[in-house]
Amino acid sequence: MNRHKYVPFLHKAQSDTNSILDFVLFSSVPPNFTSTILLPVPEIHQSLLLIYISFYPNLLHVLTLPPDSVAELFKVAAVKSPWMSFIRLLKSFCVTHYRENELELLQRYRRDRRVLLDFILSGSLMKKVVMPPGAVSLDNVDLDQVSVDFVLNCAKKGHMLELSEAIRDYHDGTLFPSMNNAGSTDEFFLVTSAESSGSPPRRPPPLVPDVVATPIVSSLSMSEPVESDLIEESQSLSKSQSLNSSQPKELTVDDIDDFDDDMLEEMDSRRYSRRVLNDASDVVLGLPSFSTGISDEDLRETAYEILLSAAGASGGLIVPSKEKKKDKKSSLMKKLGRSKSQQAGTQSHNSNGLVGLLETMRVQMEISEEMDIRTRRALLSAMVGKVGKRMDTLLVPLELLCCISRTEFSDKKSYIKWQKRQLNMLEEGLVNHPVVGFGESGRKASDLRILLAKIEESESLPSATGDLQRTECLRSLREITIPLAERPARGDLTGEVCHWADGYHLNVRLYEKLLLSVFDVLDEGKLTEEVEEMLELFKSTWRVLGITETIHYTCYAWVLFRQFVITGEQDVLQHAINQLKRIPLKEQRGPQERLHLRSLSCRVQTEKGFEDLTFLQSFLLPIKKWADMRLADYHHHFPEGSKMMENALVVAMVARRLLLEEPELAMQGPPVTDTEQIEIYVLSSIKQAFSRIIQDVETLSDTTNEHPLALLAEQTKKLVKNSTAAYFPILTLRHHNVSAVAVSLIHKLYGIKLKPFLESAEHLTEDVVSVFPAADNLEQNLIAIITSTCGEGTAEAYLKKLNLYKIETVSGTLVLRWVNAQLARISGWVERVMQQENWSPVSAQQRHGSSIVEIYRIVEETVDQFFALKVPMRPGELKSLFRGIDSAFQVYTKHIVDSLADKEDIIPPVPILTRFGRESGIKAFVKKELTDPRLPDIRKSNDINVLTTPTLCVQLNTLYYAISQLNKLEDSIWERWSKKHHSQTIKRPVNGNSKNSTQKDGFDGSRKDINAAIDHMCEFTGTKTIFWDLREQFIDGLYRPSVAQSRLEILIEPLDLVLSQLCDIIVEPLRDRVVTGLLQASLDGLIRVILDGGPSRMFTPADAKFMDEDLEVLKEFFISGGDGLPRGVVENQVVRARQVIKLIGYETRELIEDLRSASEMEVQGGRGKLGADSKTLIRILCHRSDSEASQFLKKQYKIPKSTA
């Protein structure tokens, strides 16, 4: 900010203040206002500064300089400067010292300007002051808009002052630049625009003639030595001496009065406090205003008069001497240098006994010495001739009116003002608000008003007539007022107590003014050290004012509390709380006091209209209202919680307790408990704090581009955190579940804002993704506070009352939509990659197909996106994701399985059974084979798409990769899910259906299908190798035309080639499973050759030995000396083939007998003695080359004969 911004206004305010000050000091000061002092040069600084302070109280604010600097200033002034130059030097020095803060100095000068103008216009310096239209007194005039030059010109010329003209002159002067005589040549002000006015004139300005002021001190020479010890006691100016003489008169040393410490103390009392005071307009007593217009100053002066009369009743009232103390123990510089506490301590040491205490009270209540002396004399005079009568039973205003004459005042205006106050007090005390009814003396009350008006009217009459009328009226007034004032009340005897100031409205206001004097005049936030003595002294006024213990504590608490509101001093508030706690409850008061308090009531106009208030309600309702208003928004008024809020809470609770005992005149509705009142505070403050947060969020969202609801949730969390740390510990002392009440409301308020957003959410937009997590996190925090601060049963009750946001439900629906869309994308991707797959290994190390890699990539992307959604989710959404991925892998597996050829297409059909016959067996067999449509001849093999062995191996590797990575994927998903929901363990209890939601069974369908596919493909690979690839060598060529001619050994080499190819491609974990499939297929082929070898194969019992040897060869091939399949596995596989070969070794007769018994046993579910079923035995017999078997089969089973 430009520091020269206020310079023009500052110079104008400074110039006005200096003009008024110079006029008051050196022009027309009335004799009784102050004494003009002239001391020899060494003490000129003290004298002049005292005069300056008496008219310029803020100098003590401005002149906060180090003692060395002040002393240097005085030294220069004493040697080189005459009086007027010294004044200007002092002003210049003060302004220079504060030049760095023009705004503060401008405010000080304007305030001083108003004070000095008010003094001139209110005193006798003006002949007459005419108010502007609409103004009744100076209080209605804005003195900042009154021209000082116009006022001073009227005062010097003795003309009547019309304030409307002064105001017009002020506004006319604002059209021109401000001028000052002490300004620097570097400063100038333009009334025109500098840009359009051109360059400044080049000619020099005309010379201004020097104006030489009349020297105030002509007898002082700079060369004259001055000694401080030559100063003698000065004589004061005679009151008859005129200061308005037309002849110039120089002031001499003989005209000087001493300024002693008493004068310093009086001037100290006029200083303005440095404390920044607060506005207390909202803390007003619930009492009606006075119809006579009594002001606070009138009440304060009358209260002091009552205090003097009460002190006089104990014989402590004396009139102080006019003589001044010669001992100057305290100089001005010492007073400027010492602290407030030191000064207060000095005052307490100088005040001893009742006399000293009354002097302290005079200073504290800002009563002038002249008024104090007048009042003391009048009270002592009133007691003359009243033997046996106490001073506190006097009708004080009446006695003062009778004993103080007009001549004791310096001017008529002051006397009229004083008299008006006394008359108003009589009317208010005796007529307007009496505590005792008039009864038959009601006519006297009307007569009293007439007399009061006549006494006031006498001042406007000629002197002789007015004095006569006043004397007669005072005599009649005494005859009426004394009986009215001495009406008995509360059992008093007539004359024991004078009830002139015992009316409810007047007495408490007077007592309030007495209590206000307990505060230090130098620091309104501190109590004086004599507070206990002062309070004890105030008890002497209880008889006059009708004060009881309850009234005292209530009034004192009120005074302390209002002073706290003004100053903000915590110690004062603590004193007020102590006084509130000392107010007796109803049962603690005596019957007489209860009866007395019941009679104290008034009718006042409030916001609700006219209401009847009791005494306690008049004083405590404003206190409670102040506390209620701040506690109803404690987030704003107590930002950090602190001790202040705790004290305000105590004030509110104590005031409530006292007010609840009062008649329900102002308390509407049934009374609430303390707990309910705390809830009212909490609910109100939370609502207002939340409203402010909404306003802040609206502004913040425009700058951050974040959704307002997300910001609102974050700011609300901060509000909850702040409340938990700062406010709940204080409120919990009076309401154990206050935190639950507060967060329940916060939950509701945010829910109201959130509900429309929840209802409109249809997809997972950016706004949804930002709002849902913030709102859900807020809800979880609120629920956590309730569960942690309340008992189990209480917490459950509060949680049931919450209208939960159900964000998971809404969010779950949106997530399901998103998941379904992503799963459709995965399904489409599966179809695409399967069409592009050529089943080549990815690399030598990665021997699976590329399609599964792409599938996992798209699945993992989907999973990452799923967990990147910070919205709340239920286990159902996770299950949906699992199901979708599981389905995708099942589809993928099905595609692989569907690519395999049909097993029936690659296995030759089983030939028809025939019995041994030499002639046509072979021809019939060949003919049957050629006519069978299922025979895989060369023509049909072109139509069958049989995958190659390497392709089958890559597919097997791919399936294995799929199932092995599936476990890692599932583990990763569950781990991320656990982390996501770790913070939600405090959520509402889950239902029983979600008990197994954490079991890792999400991909069980895929696992089952993939494992089944691997088994199927291992079996298919073996079958395809034996029955398709090696069909000619194995199925068609083995044991044909006889066992001896075609042994199994010839198949070992082809099998070894196939096995080597498989082991080179297949992954290690699948090798045993694939080789086992090949072993099974080999054994199936061997059994096929033995049992269904067709008419071209015939066996004898002797062939069993060769077959058994071949079986051992096959077994050892697959065992491969321990490098192949485990022996136990191989042994288990060859058991069935060994049983069939064993049957070949039996004689025909044994086989026929066993077949017969087996047929009978199969009916009962058993087998024959040889352990074979009938079908196997029949096939063994069909391939037996003897007539016995042929005849048996012909006779028993009608099997046709082969032509072989």
Side-chain angles (χ1 to χ4, degrees):
M1 182 182 294
N2 186 0
R3 64 180 295 272
H4 297 291
K5 175 181 179 181
Y6 302 101
V7 168
F9 306 101
L10 177 61
H11 283 307
K12 178 60 179 173
Q14 176 187 357
S15 176
D16 288 349
T17 305
N18 291 341
S19 299
I20 302 173
L21 186 60
D22 293 342
F23 171 76
V24 173
L25 281 174
F26 306 111
S27 296
S28 303
V29 181
N32 64 325
F33 183 80
T34 186
S35 298
T36 306
I37 296 175
L38 180 60
L39 294 179
V41 174
E43 296 199 10
I44 187 173
H45 60 277
Q46 177 175 337
S47 314
L48 180 60
L49 209 55
L50 290 175
I51 297 175
Y52 200 87
I53 291 170
S54 66
F55 296 99
Y56 194 21
N58 277 340
L59 177 62
L60 295 183
H61 288 290
V62 177
L63 196 56
T64 53
L65 304 177
D68 295 341
S69 301
V70 179
E72 184 67 23
L73 173 65
F74 292 152
K75 181 178 180 181
V76 174
V79 176
K80 297 182 180 180
S81 302
W83 274 51
M84 185 61 70
S85 298
F86 174 70
I87 290 175
R88 289 173 180 169
L89 176 62
L90 181 60
K91 297 172 186 174
S92 176
F93 190 86
C94 295
V95 173
T96 302
H97 182 69
Y98 273 84
R99 189 174 295 276
E100 292 303 322
N101 193 346
E102 284 87 356
L103 178 57
E104 180 181 353
L105 193 58
L106 173 63
Q107 293 172 346
R108 293 184 185 278
Y109 270 119
R110 282 181 171 174
R111 185 167 61 248
D112 297 339
R113 179 185 186 274
R114 290 192 295 269
V115 172
L116 292 170
L117 267 178
D118 183 77
F119 166 73
I120 292 177
L121 299 178
S122 301
S124 59
L125 296 178
M126 303 300 302
K127 180 178 180 181
K128 185 177 181 181
V129 178
V130 179
M131 297 295 168
V136 179
S137 65
L138 289 177
D139 295 335
N140 306 120
V141 179
D142 184 4
L143 296 181
D144 286 339
Q145 300 187 31
V146 174
S147 172
V148 170
D149 296 335
F150 189 90
V151 172
L152 294 182
N153 187 44
C154 291
K156 292 176 182 178
K157 294 181 180 180
H159 293 169
M160 177 179 65
L161 172 63
E162 292 189 10
L163 285 178
S164 58
E165 294 296 328
I167 294 174
R168 184 181 298 108
D169 186 75
Y170 170 81
H171 288 287
D172 291 343
T174 58
L175 301 176
F176 302 99
S178 302
M179 305 298 295
N180 63 82
N181 296 328
S184 169
T185 57
D186 296 332
E187 297 178 356
F188 63 91
F189 309 105
L190 294 177
V191 73
T192 59
S193 173
E195 291 78 6
S196 61
S197 298
S199 60
R202 301 182 179 276
R203 67 179 185 277
L207 298 177
V208 178
D210 296 333
V211 179
V212 180
T214 304
I216 299 177
V217 182
S218 61
S219 60
L220 293 178
S221 174
M222 294 183 184
S223 60
E224 292 180 358
V226 183
E227 300 294 333
S228 61
D229 56 2
L230 298 178
I231 302 173
E232 300 292 341
E233 181 179 359
S234 302
Q235 298 178 356
S236 61
L237 283 170
S238 173
K239 292 184 180 179
S240 61
Q241 184 177 2
S242 174
L243 293 178
N244 298 324
S245 174
S246 59
Q247 298 178 357
K249 181 176 177 61
E250 296 180 359
L251 300 177
T252 64
V253 176
D254 296 335
D255 300 326
I256 301 174
D257 267 344
D258 277 349
F259 273 69
D260 57 1
D261 287 343
D262 292 336
M263 179 67 100
L264 294 177
E265 290 174 1
E266 181 174 357
M267 291 177 178
D268 282 339
S269 68
R270 302 179 61 179
R271 291 192 295 174
Y272 291 162
S273 171
R274 299 186 187 186
R275 181 186 294 270
V276 178
L277 304 181
N278 303 320
D279 181 21
S281 59
D282 58 339
V283 185
V284 182
L285 274 178
L287 295 176
S289 58
F290 295 106
S291 60
T292 58
I294 294 176
S295 64
D296 287 344
E297 182 181 359
D298 295 338
L299 292 170
R300 174 171 48 80
E301 292 175 353
T302 302
Y304 181 71
E305 293 169 354
I306 294 175
L307 182 65
L308 288 180
S309 68
S314 59
L317 189 63
I318 61 173
V319 179
S321 174
K322 280 188 176 182
E323 296 182 357
K324 305 296 181 179
K325 299 176 183 178
K326 297 181 181 180
D327 185 13
K328 295 182 176 61
K329 297 180 181 179
S330 172
S331 66
L332 178 64
M333 298 314 300
K334 291 181 181 179
K335 293 185 72 65
L336 287 175
R338 68 191 180 195
S339 66
K340 298 177 182 178
S341 59
Q342 290 172 334
Q343 184 163 349
T346 303
Q347 291 177 357
S348 64
H349 288 309
N350 293 337
S351 302
N352 298 317
L354 181 58
V355 176
L357 188 58
L358 287 176
E359 177 62 17
T360 300
M361 287 297 305
R362 182 189 68 78
V363 176
Q364 290 290 111
M365 299 185 72
E366 302 180 19
I367 304 298
S368 66
E369 285 189 353
E370 291 80 2
M371 177 181 174
D372 179 43
I373 293 174
R374 282 198 303 266
T375 305
R376 291 175 185 245
R377 286 176 175 172
L379 290 174
L380 292 174
S381 299
M383 291 300 296
V384 176
K386 295 182 175 63
V387 181
K389 192 174 184 66
R390 293 169 55 92
M391 188 176 290
D392 57 357
T393 61
L394 294 176
L395 184 51
V396 175
L398 177 63
E399 300 298 340
L400 294 180
L401 285 171
C402 294
C403 296
I404 296 178
S405 64
R406 185 186 308 166
T407 58
E408 296 187 45
F409 290 84
S410 60
D411 58 274
K412 183 177 180 181
K413 187 174 182 179
S414 299
Y415 173 73
I416 293 175
K417 181 180 179 181
W418 173 86
Q419 179 180 261
K420 179 65 175 176
R421 172 170 65 85
Q422 303 297 343
L423 295 175
N424 288 341
M425 288 297 169
L426 284 175
E427 182 175 353
E428 292 291 350
L430 292 175
V431 180
N432 292 348
H433 303 291
V435 72
V436 182
F438 291 111
E440 296 180 356
S441 58
R443 186 180 59 83
K444 293 183 180 180
S446 60
D447 294 342
L448 187 144
R449 285 194 174 93
I450 296 174
L451 289 175
L452 295 178
K454 286 186 177 181
I455 294 174
E456 189 174 356
E457 179 189 359
S458 65
E459 297 302 326
S460 61
L461 300 176
S463 178
T465 307
D467 291 344
L468 179 60
Q469 179 173 323
R470 183 176 184 277
T471 303
E472 292 177 353
C473 289
L474 286 175
R475 186 183 305 111
S476 302
L477 186 64
R478 179 180 294 275
E479 294 175 356
I480 295 176
T481 56
I482 294 300
L484 287 176
E486 293 184 352
R487 287 166 296 178
R490 300 191 305 271
D492 300 331
L493 297 176
T494 303
E496 180 183 352
V497 176
C498 187
H499 293 283
W500 71 270
D502 202 17
Y504 167 41
H505 304 149
L506 181 61
N507 62 356
V508 293
R509 294 299 301 273
L510 291 171
Y511 195 65
E512 178 192 14
K513 296 305 175 185
L514 287 177
L515 292 171
L516 279 171
S517 63
V518 301
F519 301 104
D520 194 334
V521 293
L522 299 180
D523 189 349
E524 295 88 341
K526 304 293 181 183
L527 296 174
T528 62
E529 292 188 356
E530 300 88 351
V531 59
E532 296 299 331
E533 293 86 345
M534 294 168 68
L535 291 175
E536 193 64 29
L537 178 62
F538 295 161
K539 288 185 179 180
S540 62
T541 65
W542 287 15
R543 289 168 55 86
V544 181
L545 299 175
I547 302 299
T548 64
E549 186 180 54
T550 301
I551 296 176
H552 164 73
Y553 287 133
T554 305
C555 291
Y556 193 27
W558 158 259
V559 168
L560 289 168
F561 181 79
R562 193 172 190 277
Q563 196 71 9
F564 153 73
V565 175
I566 294 174
T567 62
E569 187 65 40
Q570 292 294 315
D571 291 341
V572 177
L573 177 59
Q574 195 59 52
H575 285 303
I577 291 175
N578 294 337
Q579 297 303 315
L580 283 172
K581 291 180 178 179
R582 299 174 82 177
I583 298 176
L585 295 174
K586 198 168 186 178
E587 64 272 8
Q588 296 171 342
R589 304 166 197 159
Q592 187 175 358
E593 186 178 21
R594 286 201 298 268
L595 184 62
H596 175 57
L597 289 175
R598 190 180 305 168
S599 65
L600 303 182
S601 64
C602 63
R603 187 172 182 82
V604 296
Q605 187 173 8
T606 63
E607 299 174 354
K608 302 177 182 179
F610 284 95
E611 295 184 14
D612 294 325
L613 302 179
T614 64
F615 166 76
L616 286 177
Q617 288 169 345
S618 296
F619 278 79
L620 297 183
L621 280 177
I623 295 177
K624 184 178 180 297
K625 180 181 177 182
W626 182 93
D628 288 346
M629 183 177 68
R630 277 147 184 82
L631 290 172
D633 192 6
Y634 55 76
H635 289 87
H636 173 68
H637 294 286
F638 313 111
E640 302 299 330
S642 73
K643 185 69 176 177
M644 176 61 197
M645 178 181 173
E646 199 170 339
N647 287 337
L649 203 56
V650 174
V651 169
M653 293 297 104
V654 175
R656 282 191 73 257
R657 180 191 62 183
L658 294 168
L659 288 172
L660 287 175
E661 294 185 333
E662 293 298 295
E664 294 184 4
L665 300 176
M667 308 290 288
Q668 301 295 330
V672 297
T673 63
D674 288 353
T675 301
E676 293 171 336
Q677 185 64 48
I678 295 296
E679 288 190 10
I680 293 174
Y681 295 148
V682 171
L683 299 180
S684 174
S685 186
I686 290 293
K687 288 179 182 178
Q688 297 189 59
F690 192 79
S691 299
R692 286 191 293 271
I693 290 177
I694 292 177
Q695 296 176 1
D696 295 340
V697 163
E698 291 175 354
T699 304
L700 191 61
S701 63
D702 295 336
T703 58
T704 60
N705 294 324
E706 293 187 43
H707 196 279
L709 284 175
L711 289 174
L712 181 61
E714 293 301 322
Q715 295 299 320
T716 305
K717 282 175 60 179
K718 293 180 181 179
L719 171 65
V720 174
K721 182 179 179 181
N722 183 38
S723 299
T724 304
Y727 304 117
F728 292 167
I730 298 174
L731 297 170
T732 304
L733 299 176
R734 289 178 169 80
H735 192 322
H736 297 302
N737 299 323
V738 69
S739 56
V741 174
V743 299
S744 297
L745 178 61
I746 292 175
H747 184 275
K748 178 181 179 181
L749 294 175
Y750 185 80
I752 294 173
K753 297 294 181 181
L754 180 65
K755 184 178 179 180
F757 183 82
L758 289 176
E759 293 175 348
S760 62
E762 295 182 355
H763 302 285
L764 284 178
T765 61
E766 291 183 3
D767 290 342
V768 169
V769 173
S770 65
V771 172
F772 277 19
D776 186 67
N777 187 260
L778 172 63
E779 185 175 50
Q780 298 313 309
N781 286 342
L782 299 180
I783 293 175
I785 292 175
I786 294 177
T787 55
S788 62
T789 57
C790 301
E792 183 177 352
T794 306
E796 184 178 354
Y798 277 105
L799 291 177
K800 286 182 178 179
K801 295 179 182 179
L802 293 182
N803 186 13
L804 297 177
Y805 303 153
K806 299 180 181 178
I807 295 178
E808 280 191 344
T809 302
V810 179
S811 173
T813 303
L814 302 183
V815 171
L816 282 177
R817 293 176 184 172
W818 180 88
V819 168
N820 292 334
Q822 295 301 312
L823 294 179
R825 173 170 166 258
I826 293 175
S827 298
W829 194 263
V830 169
E831 297 293 338
R832 188 178 303 113
V833 296
M834 289 304 296
Q835 293 175 3
Q836 299 173 355
E837 180 62 83
N838 57 10
W839 298 114
S840 298
V842 175
S843 65
Q845 291 75 26
Q846 297 178 341
R847 287 170 279 180
H848 49 266
S850 60
S851 59
I852 192 62
V853 178
E854 290 299 316
I855 295 298
Y856 266 106
R857 184 182 63 81
I858 192 65
V859 166
E860 288 174 355
E861 286 181 2
T862 302
V863 171
D864 290 341
Q865 293 174 6
F866 177 81
F867 286 105
L869 300 175
K870 301 303 180 181
V871 296
M873 300 179 190
R874 298 165 298 181
E877 285 74 65
L878 182 65
K879 287 185 176 181
S880 178
L881 179 67
F882 271 122
R883 284 194 299 268
I885 297 175
D886 189 50
S887 176
F889 280 111
Q890 288 176 339
V891 170
Y892 181 80
T893 303
K894 186 175 184 299
H895 274 290
I896 294 178
V897 173
D898 290 347
S899 66
L900 301 177
D902 194 350
K903 191 176 180 180
E904 295 179 354
D905 291 337
I906 61 175
I907 298 177
V910 178
I912 62 173
L913 291 176
T914 60
R915 54 188 173 84
F916 174 75
R918 290 180 181 271
E919 295 85 4
S920 59
I922 297 175
K923 292 181 180 180
F925 176 77
V926 173
K927 184 179 180 181
K928 182 66 177 177
E929 288 183 337
L930 293 176
T931 57
D932 193 334
R934 295 174 55 202
L935 185 66
D937 53 11
I938 296 175
R939 288 173 298 175
K940 190 172 183 181
S941 66
N942 295 330
D943 300 331
I944 300 174
N945 183 18
V946 179
L947 300 177
T948 62
T949 299
T951 299
L952 292 174
C953 290
V954 172
Q955 288 182 338
L956 280 169
N957 292 342
T958 301
L959 290 176
Y960 178 77
Y961 179 84
I963 196 169
S964 61
Q965 296 299 316
L966 202 61
N967 295 330
K968 296 179 181 179
L969 176 63
E970 188 174 26
D971 292 340
S972 173
I973 292 175
W974 280 114
E975 182 180 358
R976 295 167 74 174
W977 178 262
S978 299
K979 291 180 179 179
K980 180 179 180 67
H981 281 253
H982 177 70
S983 60
Q984 299 184 10
T985 54
I986 59 167
K987 210 164 176 102
R988 8 191 198 281
V990 296
N991 53 37
N993 296 332
S994 61
K995 178 178 180 181
N996 299 325
S997 61
T998 59
Q999 293 182 359
K1000 296 183 179 181
D1001 56 359
F1003 296 139
D1004 281 358
S1006 299
R1007 288 191 184 92
K1008 181 179 178 181
D1009 286 1
I1010 294 175
N1011 281 321
I1014 291 175
D1015 291 339
H1016 176 69
M1017 290 188 68
C1018 289
E1019 180 184 353
F1020 179 81
T1021 302
T1023 302
K1024 178 252 182 190
T1025 301
I1026 300 300
F1027 289 92
W1028 185 264
D1029 297 338
L1030 299 178
R1031 184 181 65 181
E1032 291 184 2
Q1033 295 96 322
F1034 204 124
I1035 303 301
D1036 296 341
L1038 183 64
Y1039 300 153
R1040 192 173 182 182
S1042 65
V1043 174
Q1045 293 178 353
S1046 179
R1047 301 287 296 273
L1048 190 82
E1049 292 177 352
I1050 62 175
L1051 297 175
I1052 296 302
E1053 184 176 352
L1055 284 175
D1056 187 55
L1057 292 174
V1058 173
L1059 196 58
S1060 298
Q1061 186 182 27
L1062 289 174
C1063 292
D1064 289 341
I1065 301 175
I1066 206 73
V1067 292
E1068 185 68 29
L1070 291 181
R1071 287 179 184 177
D1072 286 354
R1073 296 176 68 177
V1074 173
V1075 174
T1076 302
L1078 183 59
L1079 172 61
Q1080 290 175 347
S1082 301
L1083 294 173
D1084 289 343
L1086 180 61
I1087 295 174
R1088 162 70 180 264
V1089 168
I1090 295 174
L1091 297 181
D1092 294 305
S1096 60
R1097 288 186 175 92
M1098 292 294 170
F1099 306 113
T1100 64
D1103 293 334
K1105 178 181 178 183
F1106 298 112
M1107 292 181 181
D1108 191 59
E1109 292 175 356
D1110 290 344
L1111 183 61
E1112 287 296 323
V1113 171
L1114 184 64
K1115 183 181 73 173
E1116 293 299 328
F1117 171 76
F1118 281 100
I1119 293 175
S1120 187
D1123 295 334
L1125 295 175
R1127 183 174 295 274
V1129 174
V1130 177
E1131 290 289 350
N1132 291 333
Q1133 294 293 332
V1134 302
V1135 168
R1136 182 167 177 266
R1138 183 173 281 115
Q1139 290 177 350
V1140 172
I1141 292 174
K1142 187 178 180 181
L1143 292 175
I1144 296 296
Y1146 286 103
E1147 295 296 331
T1148 302
R1149 179 176 47 82
E1150 293 178 322
L1151 294 173
I1152 293 174
E1153 291 178 359
D1154 193 65
L1155 177 59
R1156 289 172 177 170
S1157 63
S1159 299
E1160 296 175 359
M1161 294 296 293
E1162 283 182 357
V1163 178
Q1164 301 175 1
R1167 289 174 177 266
K1169 296 179 181 180
L1170 299 180
D1173 55 57
S1174 59
K1175 292 181 180 181
T1176 303
L1177 293 174
I1178 290 173
R1179 280 170 169 75
I1180 294 294
L1181 291 173
C1182 285
H1183 289 81
R1184 181 61 58 94
S1185 57
D1186 58 31
S1187 301
E1188 184 180 3
S1190 176
Q1191 291 299 322
F1192 174 77
L1193 292 175
K1194 177 182 178 182
K1195 181 178 180 180
Q1196 293 294 329
Y1197 296 101
K1198 308 300 182 182
I1199 295 176
K1201 178 176 68 171
S1202 69
T1203 59

